Amino acid sequence: MTETNGRFGEYGGRYIPETLMNAVIELEEAYNFYKNDPAFNAELTELFDEYAGRPSRLYFAKKMTEDLGGAKIYLKREDLNHTGAHKINNVLGQALLAKKMGKTRLIAETGAGQHGVATATAAALLGMECVVFMGKVDCDRQALNVYKMKLLGAEVVPVTTGTATLKDAVSQAMREWTSRIADTHYCLGSVMGPHPFPTIVRDFQAVISREAREQILEKEGRLPDAVIACVGGGSNAIGSFYHFIPDEGVRLIGCEAAGRGIDTFETAATLNTGRVGIFHGMKSYFCQNEYGQIAPVYSISAGLDYPGIGPEHAYLHDIGRAEYVAVTDEEAVCAFEYLSRTEGIIPAIESAHALAHAVKIAPQMGKDRIIIVTVSGRGDKDCVSVARYRGEDLTES
Amino acid sequence: MSRIREAFSDKKAFIPFITCGDPDIETTEKIVLAAAENGADLIELGIPFSDPTAEGPVIMEADSRALEAGTTTDDVFLLTARLREKLAIPLVYMTYANVVFSYGTEKFAKKAAAAGIDGIILPDVPYEEKGDFEEAFAACGIDLISMIAPTSEDRIAMIAKEARGFLYIVSSLGVTGTRSSITTDIGAMTALIREHTDIPCAVGFGISTPEQARAMAALSDGAIVGSAIIKIIAKYGREAAPHVGEYVRAMAAAAHSA
């Protein structure tokens, strides 16, 4: 949908300190100019194609399809992008925009580290300074990505406040931005935060569904019956859904992280367990207690371990255009192992949440049905924590 | 004349900020009374929030301590009502949008008004988003206080024209916390504000010494101090009231002399 005044229905808005208002207004104006600028778009397309490796493949998962015995399963291979995830799409767009705006420094939050690595990568490529805020807990469970960011020339600041995860990294990046705005762009990693971020990030990620829609029409001559993606803040999901939203016959399914289960407190399934609130610059759904205190959420996946969800998802949920299901740690780990064995593809633990749901529903669908699952990232970064989940310690000595 | 207006009527105002429930509600009550006895002209009562994105580490930690102690919004309403029985000075809340929205904005406004609150500051509700909040609070006679930052520039006129209660001038970029110096041209900001409104302006963020309080009050109508007081409370805990009182006396004297 087209947002009006930064709103998707009642959701979105810009609930931020006055100090940042002119910065987001300036960003909105710059984006509105450059999104229609042929030179900007040509430059971005060249970065997408030559640097990030787009278009990403739409791969027919033949063995998985045969094994499950139902709908045909196609995988949208965002894991094959440079830096190993969909995050690079948004980052290249924002970094180029920031550079056009005269900014010389990028700051970012990161959960699993994929957005941080992508931002550090773009900063290296475009010759910009880079500081990444990452929860201390996430630094520990995603040590490889911390190393990569430093290798790429970024400074990584561990955040120890609150639950020391993605939510706290976002808060700290926002605080940093209020203290240094003139030369700094906050390269937000998901379709969340104050307007215009949910729109900008969605537009840059929409390349996923633009390609997937063309690719499936070319391969199958028809649209899919369902598109499935994992949802934390929701950037790969909105990117996967966007160009299918007008196609009413296509089910759009977002997979939230249920953690240890939506009937426990150790969950991050926002639409399944949260209610409407205002936080991190936006009105949307949040996991919170009766007094509006934000809940300390949990998921095995650092990238989905967030107590909110982007405002456009909240809207798609309310109008019934997209459905949002909850997938537990156990189901995601099983799908992580399943795709590795069946197709020789190790998916990110985030993406494994989407795959788990495909494994669940494909057998119930006819063989003439088609599902597209977005593999938002690759799983190298998750091997240590999945091994630990299975009781194996991979520490190298 | 409203209680807020009266607080600024005959002198520069000194405005301390205190997080409710840090370390517990009973201590907060004693601290607020000590601040009032020692010359505070208006008191900001912080309702703790789990993720206060406009705060530096000192107030963040105070919020954590208050929430760990089990402080709820309802506890703060009860505390406010008890304080209102003893105090004539204006009391304003400082909290975040979700604390109010999640409680139900109208229900929150009614309870706050019944407890005797005069105004509310919501740092994550800028001019463009204030509509629903302002309407609910105004209906109960509570002023939604607007903020102006060093980056506001062309937004100052728009904000000043609709300002209620008093205007909160954010002295510097960044979050709350003490600073060794304030480099923003506060005098130029207040002059610009004065072109559009005659409501009082008070400066906050980064003030901790009597010299800073005097200087900022001289350029405006008052000085707001938060983190420096929270540090005293963090140090003395349940015994903090007399120490805060002593600090407020020196700071209020400095502001009043401006």
Side-chain angles (χ1 to χ4, degrees):
Chain A
M1 70 169 295
T2 312
E3 43 72 32
T4 315
N5 261 339
R7 294 273 175 177
F8 304 90
E10 69 168 300
Y11 304 111
R14 28 174 70 137
Y15 297 89
I16 48 171
E18 170 60 23
T19 305
L20 288 175
M21 280 304 290
N22 266 329
V24 298
I25 290 167
E26 186 198 355
L27 176 64
E28 181 185 14
E29 287 169 357
Y31 179 65
N32 285 338
F33 173 79
Y34 284 109
K35 75 176 179 189
N36 299 315
D37 177 39
F40 177 85
N41 285 304
E43 214 172 324
L44 184 60
T45 302
E46 183 171 337
L47 285 173
F48 272 10
D49 295 355
E50 302 301 321
Y51 188 69
R54 302 211 71 87
S56 71
R57 301 299 169 98
L58 185 70
Y59 167 73
F60 174 48
K62 188 158 173 279
K63 279 189 69 192
M64 186 175 170
T65 299
E66 281 169 4
D67 182 59
L68 295 172
K72 289 178 87 168
I73 296 170
Y74 281 87
L75 304 178
K76 182 59 175 163
R77 299 289 309 275
E78 292 298 305
D79 59 314
L80 294 179
N81 295 340
H82 179 45
T83 71
H86 71 291
K87 293 292 187 189
I88 194 77
N89 305 331
N90 164 47
V91 163
L92 287 174
Q94 281 198 52
L96 196 59
L97 180 62
K99 187 128 181 156
K100 300 280 182 205
M101 291 172 72
K103 307 286 180 183
T104 56
R105 180 171 175 262
L106 297 176
I107 58 169
E109 83 294 342
T110 197
Q114 293 303 99
H115 176 60
V117 168
T119 307
T121 298
L125 180 70
L126 298 176
M128 301 171 88
E129 251 185 274
C130 182
V131 181
V132 180
F133 296 87
M134 186 169 184
K136 179 71 174 60
V137 168
D138 295 338
C139 289
D140 293 342
R141 60 179 163 175
Q142 302 287 354
L144 179 61
N145 275 340
V146 174
Y147 179 77
K148 283 185 190 170
M149 287 183 266
K150 290 179 179 167
L151 188 65
L152 291 159
E155 180 191 346
V156 180
V157 180
V159 178
T160 54
T161 50
T163 48
T165 57
L166 180 54
K167 150 181 92 78
D168 309 287
V170 173
S171 296
Q172 206 51 39
M174 284 183 167
R175 292 186 184 105
E176 171 65 19
W177 203 25
T178 61
S179 69
R180 190 167 162 185
I181 299 169
D183 66 345
T184 299
H185 173 69
Y186 177 16
C187 186
L188 228 165
S190 194
V191 284
M192 47 154 296
H195 176 63
F197 285 107
T199 299
I200 292 183
V201 179
R202 178 255 274 154
D203 288 354
F204 290 137
Q205 291 296 359
V207 66
I208 301 173
S209 52
R210 189 164 64 235
E211 289 173 2
R213 198 172 181 283
E214 282 171 18
Q215 288 164 325
I216 199 73
L217 287 174
E218 195 176 303
K219 285 176 194 288
E220 292 282 347
R222 72 173 188 91
L223 292 170
D225 297 283
V227 175
I228 307 178
C230 63
V231 185
S235 71
N236 94 82
I238 211 76
S240 302
F241 294 171
Y242 188 66
H243 288 283
F244 292 109
I245 292 174
D247 303 319
E248 283 179 16
V250 180
R251 281 173 71 190
L252 306 174
I253 307 172
C255 300
E256 299 192 317
R260 298 204 166 89
I262 55 170
D263 50 350
T264 73
F265 286 108
E266 291 176 293
T267 180
T270 307
L271 286 172
N272 281 279
T273 66
R275 60 190 175 88
V276 179
I278 297 170
F279 183 50
H280 278 164
M282 59 183 173
K283 183 183 277 188
S284 189
Y285 283 79
F286 296 95
C287 299
Q288 54 184 312
N289 76 7
E290 58 174 315
Y291 287 104
Q293 307 296 344
I294 303 302
V297 294
Y298 162 81
S299 162
I300 189 174
S301 149
L304 304 182
D305 195 355
Y306 182 71
I309 187 165
E312 193 165 6
H313 285 294
Y315 177 72
L316 292 173
H317 167 265
D318 279 16
I319 63 168
R321 179 62 191 97
E323 46 198 300
Y324 295 85
V325 299
V327 174
T328 63
D329 284 0
E330 177 63 24
E331 292 168 321
V333 167
C334 288
F336 178 90
E337 294 163 341
Y338 176 80
L339 194 73
S340 303
R341 276 197 319 269
T342 312
E343 292 287 347
I345 297 170
I346 304 173
I349 192 68
E350 288 77 17
S351 321
H353 285 73
L355 291 157
H357 193 63
V359 168
K360 207 181 291 180
I361 67 168
Q364 301 158 16
M365 296 167 74
K367 291 188 176 181
D368 56 340
R369 301 288 166 175
I370 299 168
I371 297 175
I372 295 178
V373 187
T374 299
V375 181
S376 56
R378 67 176 186 227
D380 316 37
K381 66 182 179 59
D382 300 307
C383 290
V384 173
S385 59
V386 171
R388 192 182 306 128
Y389 181 87
R390 291 298 193 207
E392 201 178 328
D393 185 3
L394 292 192
T395 319
E396 287 164 314
S397 54
Chain B
M1 195 185 287
S2 76
R3 274 195 289 253
I4 291 180
R5 201 58 183 245
E6 211 167 322
F8 291 91
S9 63
D10 58 347
K11 61 181 179 309
K12 307 285 182 161
F14 178 70
I15 305 173
F17 165 89
I18 293 152
T19 302
C20 296
D22 168 32
D24 54 49
I25 283 282
E26 293 70 30
T27 307
T28 302
E29 186 168 352
K30 289 181 203 157
I31 292 169
V32 172
L33 293 173
E37 279 162 23
N38 284 283
D41 301 289
L42 184 161
I43 294 177
E44 273 184 32
L45 299 172
I47 306 178
F49 181 49
S50 53
D51 300 82
T53 48
E55 312 297 348
V58 172
I59 295 178
M60 276 164 70
E61 283 161 21
D63 281 21
S64 298
R65 288 192 296 268
L67 291 172
E68 275 161 27
T71 309
T72 68
T73 308
D74 287 317
D75 295 335
V76 176
F77 289 143
L78 293 172
L79 166 71
T80 309
R82 289 199 299 275
L83 290 168
R84 182 44 79 213
E85 282 175 19
K86 297 172 189 163
L87 298 177
I89 58 170
L91 301 171
V92 308
Y93 287 145
M94 168 125 171
T95 191
Y96 285 77
N98 203 45
V99 171
V100 175
F101 179 82
S102 167
Y103 198 90
T105 304
E106 281 173 24
K107 186 177 153 202
F108 183 103
K110 282 180 187 149
K111 290 223 179 180
I117 212 76
D118 298 284
I120 184 163
I121 304 166
L122 299 171
D124 56 348
V125 177
Y127 177 87
E128 283 79 352
E129 304 293 354
K130 73 184 166 89
D132 293 348
F133 292 99
E134 191 166 65
E135 201 177 310
F137 284 114
C140 298
I142 296 172
D143 292 322
L144 178 66
I145 312 289
S146 295
M147 302 179 100
I148 285 180
T151 50
S152 294
E153 299 170 353
D154 54 335
R155 298 168 52 80
I156 289 180
M158 171 179 89
I159 297 168
K161 277 178 196 155
E162 293 185 21
R164 311 170 73 107
F166 71 93
L167 258 170
Y168 191 127
I169 300 181
V170 177
S171 76
S172 323
L173 292 182
V175 292
T176 55
T178 56
R179 288 168 174 78
S180 53
S181 68
I182 292 167
T183 55
T184 307
D185 189 347
I186 304 292
M189 278 170 81
T190 45
L192 203 54
I193 293 166
R194 283 282 161 265
E195 290 176 20
H196 303 283
T197 180
D198 63 353
I199 75 160
C201 304
V203 182
F205 279 44
I207 301 172
S208 62
T209 66
E211 291 71 30
Q212 287 173 322
R214 188 181 297 114
M216 290 300 121
L219 295 169
S220 65
D221 303 303
I224 305 167
V225 172
S227 296
I229 290 170
I230 302 300
K231 281 183 188 169
I232 296 171
I233 297 170
K235 184 173 174 189
Y236 295 102
R238 290 188 174 80
E239 314 303 321
H243 300 277
V244 172
E246 195 181 323
Y247 176 77
V248 167
R249 194 183 322 135
M251 293 293 282
H256 294 158
S257 73

